[in-house]
Amino acid sequence: MSANTMANDTIVFLQQHHSTNGVNATKDGGKRKGRKRGMLTRARQTMVKHTWVLPAIILVILLAAYAVNPTKSNPLHYGIFLAYEMPDVLDDNGRVQYGKGKLDFAFVAFYTIVLSFTREFVMQEILRPLARRAGLSKGKQARFMEQVYTALYFSFLGPWGLYAMSRTPVWYFNTYGMYEGFPHKTHDACFKFYYLFQAAYWAQQAIVLVLGMEKPRKDFKELVGHHVVTLALIGLSYRFHFTYMGIAVYITHDVSDWFLATVKTLNYLDSPILAPFYAVFMCAWIYLRHYVNLRIIWSLFNEFQTVGPYVVDWEAQQYKCPLALYITAPLLISLQALNLFWLFYIVRIAYRMLAHNVAEDDRSEDEDEDEAEDKVEEKLDNGKANGYSSAVKTNGTATRR
């Protein structure tokens, strides 16, 4: 064999070896990419199926970052704890006061994440099994979970709000106390935590609406309007020191929302106490959302202007003035109009219960559609199962033949 022939054979061998290594490397790279895509797909599917996972991950990261340096020098401190403590400023009862500022946004943002996790975890891991055990259809399961969670939430926040209000001049819905001593620039820890925690709750509810995490009812537009007005009232009342008026409006909705969520839960469970409890709910709704709120609106046109200063003073942060009236009154009247809209449905349901012994809400027709869809899916599943069974029998017969 000549030297040239040996050299050529060596070159061919090296080229083939390099080509083989390249193919193997390409296969290995493709497998790694496939594994990465598979992991991402599984992670995405997990977060879609278990919607509490993403906020849980965010909370773990934030709390871990705070645990590294659990002091006020850590920026995350004011997301977890109240900011602007004023140890030298005490109220008449000796309670330390807290001011207001931009750091309060961090507090609201953090607890919006907390409530996002809490809502999804409680609904999916605790309430869904209860709904299944109660024999509810898939459509009613979702509604049941939403209402039970709401009832649980306001079981805590309703009494808390009443307690916070009892420590202020506003107790019991004293409209004069809303304006006496204005501006109310500081509050104790109980009051401030409650006010901002409620702001986080309504922010989280707005996220639920925006992301479509609840199937819309027929009054979806009115519900969106209610959330917009509520968030505007919360933000403006806190920034411009109308928090004593704000806590009164908060409580009228907290307590009535508890009754509303509870009566809906009883309806889903076909409870025998539905009718008497519905009567109690109607009384609570009319008293809190109409009588008390109309008193607050009425106070805007007399006590708002006569109790305390009624002139704008930017340096003193005195905002109780005609401009504030022109903003506050339309917002509260809009809220009252929406409540009257829902009162119409409430009264109509009561009439149907008395006249026809039927507790049915026109806004809930989507649940009937869900049940119809469930039946269709069940038939399709049964059809697939029967088809599979037939195929197995046919295959089995063919094999035997």
Side-chain angles (χ1 to χ4, degrees):
M1 183 182 292
S2 65
N4 289 337
T5 303
M6 291 178 64
N8 290 335
D9 290 344
T10 302
I11 292 170
V12 170
F13 172 77
L14 290 173
Q15 287 176 342
Q16 289 175 346
H17 181 70
H18 177 73
S19 176
T20 302
N21 288 340
V23 170
N24 291 334
T26 303
K27 288 181 178 179
D28 291 341
K31 288 180 180 179
R32 283 195 294 271
K33 289 181 180 178
R35 283 196 294 270
K36 288 180 181 178
R37 283 196 296 268
M39 290 176 63
L40 291 173
T41 300
R42 285 194 296 272
R44 184 168 59 249
Q45 289 173 346
T46 300
M47 290 181 185
V48 170
K49 185 178 180 180
H50 303 287
T51 49
W52 54 267
V53 171
L54 180 58
I57 292 172
I58 296 173
L59 286 176
V60 168
I61 293 171
L62 292 175
L63 292 173
Y66 178 70
V68 173
N69 177 26
T71 64
K72 290 184 179 181
S73 62
N74 190 326
L76 294 172
H77 179 88
Y78 296 109
I80 303 171
F81 303 101
L82 293 174
Y84 305 109
E85 182 181 7
M86 307 168 70
D88 298 331
V89 179
L90 307 178
D91 64 8
D92 295 338
N93 296 306
R95 293 187 289 260
V96 174
Q97 297 294 285
Y98 287 77
K100 305 171 187 175
K102 294 179 181 179
L103 290 175
D104 293 332
F105 283 105
F107 185 91
V108 173
F110 177 80
Y111 284 97
T112 299
I113 299 171
V114 170
L115 288 170
S116 296
F117 164 74
T118 305
R119 178 185 186 274
E120 299 306 306
F121 182 83
V122 170
M123 286 176 57
Q124 293 179 13
E125 304 302 326
I126 300 175
L127 299 180
R128 189 184 296 278
L130 293 177
R132 288 171 178 166
R133 187 176 299 178
L136 299 178
S137 65
K138 289 183 180 178
K140 285 190 175 181
Q141 282 179 22
R143 295 299 189 196
F144 172 83
M145 293 187 299
E146 293 162 7
Q147 298 308 321
V148 175
Y149 173 78
T150 301
L152 288 172
Y153 176 83
F154 287 115
S155 294
F156 292 98
L157 269 292
W160 184 3
L162 287 167
Y163 174 70
M165 185 172 72
S166 70
R167 294 148 57 99
T168 70
V170 187
W171 182 259
Y172 174 80
F173 299 114
N174 175 20
T175 54
Y176 187 92
M178 295 177 186
Y179 314 114
E180 186 182 22
F182 191 89
H184 307 122
K185 295 184 286 187
T186 64
H187 300 289
D188 64 39
C190 176
F191 187 104
K192 181 174 179 176
F193 199 106
Y194 168 79
Y195 212 91
L196 294 180
F197 194 84
Q198 281 285 73
Y201 171 80
W202 286 104
Q204 191 271 329
Q205 288 296 102
I207 292 172
V208 169
L209 283 181
V210 170
L211 297 181
M213 298 174 71
E214 291 182 0
K215 187 168 182 178
R217 292 180 181 270
K218 285 192 171 182
D219 61 348
F220 178 74
K221 292 180 180 179
E222 289 78 12
L223 189 61
V224 171
H226 177 271
H227 279 63
V228 170
V229 172
T230 300
L231 288 170
L233 284 169
I234 292 170
L236 292 172
S237 65
Y238 190 77
R239 170 61 183 85
F240 296 105
H241 311 314
F242 292 101
T243 42
Y244 280 178
M245 183 189 299
I247 195 171
V249 176
Y250 261 149
I251 290 168
T252 59
H253 286 70
D254 288 0
V255 179
S256 58
D257 275 340
W258 180 85
F259 279 99
L260 176 62
T262 303
V263 80
K264 286 183 176 181
T265 301
L266 294 174
N267 184 38
Y268 289 129
L269 297 175
D270 294 325
S271 173
I273 67 169
L274 174 61
F277 194 88
Y278 194 89
V280 176
F281 154 67
M282 277 190 66
C283 293
W285 179 280
I286 292 170
Y287 172 71
L288 292 167
R289 293 221 181 185
H290 300 291
Y291 173 72
V292 174
N293 273 278
L294 285 170
R295 280 186 57 221
I296 294 171
I297 292 172
W298 176 253
S299 74
L300 291 173
F301 299 99
N302 47 75
E303 292 169 324
F304 186 90
Q305 303 173 46
T306 59
V307 178
Y310 187 61
V311 61
V312 64
D313 184 344
W314 295 98
E315 291 186 4
Q317 298 186 47
Q318 203 306 104
Y319 306 118
K320 189 159 71 68
C321 61
L323 177 60
L325 176 63
Y326 300 148
I327 295 173
T328 307
L331 286 172
L332 286 176
I333 291 170
S334 299
L335 195 62
Q336 181 61 207
L338 289 166
N339 288 331
L340 286 168
F341 168 80
W342 283 309
L343 179 62
F344 167 75
Y345 283 102
I346 291 168
V347 172
R348 186 161 68 174
I349 292 169
Y351 168 76
R352 289 176 176 174
M353 290 176 69
L354 291 172
H356 307 291
N357 197 28
V358 175
E360 184 179 344
D361 186 355
D362 288 343
R363 299 174 309 135
S364 301
E365 287 182 1
D366 58 343
E367 289 170 8
D368 297 331
E369 293 172 4
D370 288 340
E371 289 185 27
E373 289 175 6
D374 292 343
K375 290 178 181 178
V376 171
E377 288 178 6
E378 185 178 348
K379 288 180 180 178
L380 288 173
D381 292 339
N382 290 338
K384 289 177 182 177
N386 292 334
Y388 174 76
S389 177
S390 299
V392 170
K393 289 179 181 178
T394 301
N395 291 337
T397 303
T399 303
R400 286 194 298 272
R401 286 179 183 174

